Amino acid sequence: MLKIYALKNTIRQNKPFFKFLIKFLLFYVVFTFLYKALLFQYDIEKNEIDFFTNQVAVQTFEFMNLFSDNVLTANNLREPAVNFYYKEQLIARIVEGCNAISVMILFASFIFAFSTKWKKTFLYIAIGIFIIHLLNVTRIALLIFALYYYPSQKELLHDVVFPLFIYGVVFILWVLWVTKYSGYAKTTATK
């Protein structure tokens, strides 16, 4: 009996945290499930590239062509991916993980978990996803150029520098949401 009382008391004292956690997990699980269900529509054995990955590849190609006409793409014959060639050299391949959808779901889950007003929340999520998408296309293009000129730095560039770039921006967007736009800081300050 004492343990149940202590648990109820802990939940009551930490209600904002548990509310955040439930909203975050609910949003994250639902949208991750929906995204994975969408991916199951594509035949991996036939190397079908999902819509989002294909769009990121197309937009990266178009963005890179603003700076150089030495960029070519081709579908990968061994996996669902788009190969990127720069100056006739295979530099990179765009796979499903490169489309930043998982980052967008993580971003949106956090924003939703700290939401107070629906309209403002969905507008901020839409703007944030647009920013993440633009930065992701720019990140991939810059990574391809960088890998051409600095191939020995592949692990550093791909695994450290560019993920820091995209997650750094997501973190800044989160901080802006909590401190300026969500209304959450104001409601907790008045309690």
Side-chain angles (χ1 to χ4, degrees):
M1 187 73 156
L2 188 59
K3 288 183 181 182
I4 293 173
Y5 174 76
L7 179 63
K8 284 182 181 180
N9 194 30
T10 301
I11 291 172
R12 192 176 320 112
Q13 288 175 345
N14 297 298
K15 186 177 179 182
F17 169 75
F18 287 112
K19 184 178 175 184
F20 166 84
L21 191 61
I22 290 168
K23 287 172 71 176
F24 178 88
L25 289 174
L26 182 66
F27 192 99
Y28 186 81
V29 167
V30 166
F31 280 90
T32 299
F33 175 79
L34 290 173
Y35 177 58
K36 296 299 180 188
L38 179 107
L39 289 179
F40 279 122
Q41 296 178 358
Y42 296 91
D43 191 343
I44 293 173
E45 294 191 15
K46 292 181 181 176
N47 297 327
E48 287 184 342
I49 302 165
D50 69 274
F51 173 79
F52 296 110
T53 303
N54 189 60
Q55 286 303 301
V56 167
V58 167
Q59 291 169 9
T60 301
F61 173 76
E62 291 171 357
F63 179 68
M64 291 179 73
N65 271 318
L66 294 174
F67 304 99
S68 174
D69 57 356
N70 291 318
V71 180
L72 296 171
T73 62
N75 286 351
N76 189 303
L77 300 176
R78 295 186 179 148
E79 65 180 328
V82 177
N83 290 341
F84 267 78
Y85 298 85
Y86 181 61
K87 296 186 179 182
E88 299 180 10
Q89 183 180 340
L90 176 61
I91 303 297
R93 65 194 201 319
I94 307 293
V95 297
E96 181 272 324
C98 300
N99 64 24
I101 297 296
S102 60
V103 175
M104 293 174 191
I105 292 171
L106 182 66
F107 162 78
S109 300
F110 183 88
I111 300 305
F112 178 77
F114 267 110
S115 63
T116 54
K117 296 180 182 174
W118 293 107
K119 186 177 179 181
K120 188 188 283 189
T121 300
F122 288 117
L123 181 63
Y124 195 83
I125 287 172
I127 291 168
I129 286 173
F130 180 72
I131 290 169
I132 292 167
H133 175 70
L134 288 178
L135 290 174
N136 188 49
V137 168
T138 304
R139 173 189 76 92
I140 293 169
L142 291 174
L143 182 59
I144 292 168
F145 286 134
L147 289 174
Y148 177 80
Y149 292 105
Y150 307 102
S152 64
Q153 301 300 316
K154 180 181 178 180
E155 283 75 26
L156 176 68
L157 292 168
H158 182 270
D159 300 341
V160 178
V161 173
F162 286 97
L164 274 175
F165 173 69
I166 200 89
Y167 284 111
V169 170
V170 168
F171 180 75
I172 290 168
L173 289 170
W174 283 343
V175 169
L176 283 172
W177 174 252
V178 171
T179 60
K180 298 218 182 269
Y181 301 114
S182 71
Y184 186 81
K186 293 174 190 167
T187 58
T188 57
T190 58
K191 288 183 180 180

